[in-house]
Amino acid sequence: PLLAELFLWRITFNLTAVLSDLLGVPKISSVLKSADTVISVLIGIILLTAAMFIISLGVVLSAGVAK
């Protein structure tokens, strides 16, 4: 659910940035695009952490079976 919520936030930020561009408010659009970048980095960190957890769990489980 966390990643789905973050993707929904990204969609929301992108839509509101486009809307603010259409309404002629470039400063708000810039802030929204920056927030989208932050959410994108956060998604990357979460995915990397999950991948490292899965890999380390696999190593630990395979080491436990080898005994």
Side-chain angles (χ1 to χ4, degrees):
L2 178 64
L3 287 176
E5 183 179 351
L6 288 174
F7 279 116
L8 288 175
W9 274 109
R10 283 199 68 202
I11 291 170
T12 304
F13 283 138
N14 283 325
L15 288 176
T16 52
V18 167
L19 183 63
S20 65
D21 274 339
L22 291 175
L23 294 176
V25 189
K27 288 185 180 182
I28 299 294
S29 178
S30 172
V31 170
L32 291 169
K33 288 177 184 175
S34 297
D36 177 55
T37 303
V38 170
I39 296 292
S40 178
V41 170
L42 186 59
I43 289 172
I45 290 171
I46 290 171
L47 289 175
L48 181 65
T49 304
M52 291 300 292
F53 177 75
I54 291 170
I55 291 169
S56 63
L57 183 65
V59 169
V60 168
L61 287 176
S62 67
V65 171
K67 288 184 176 185

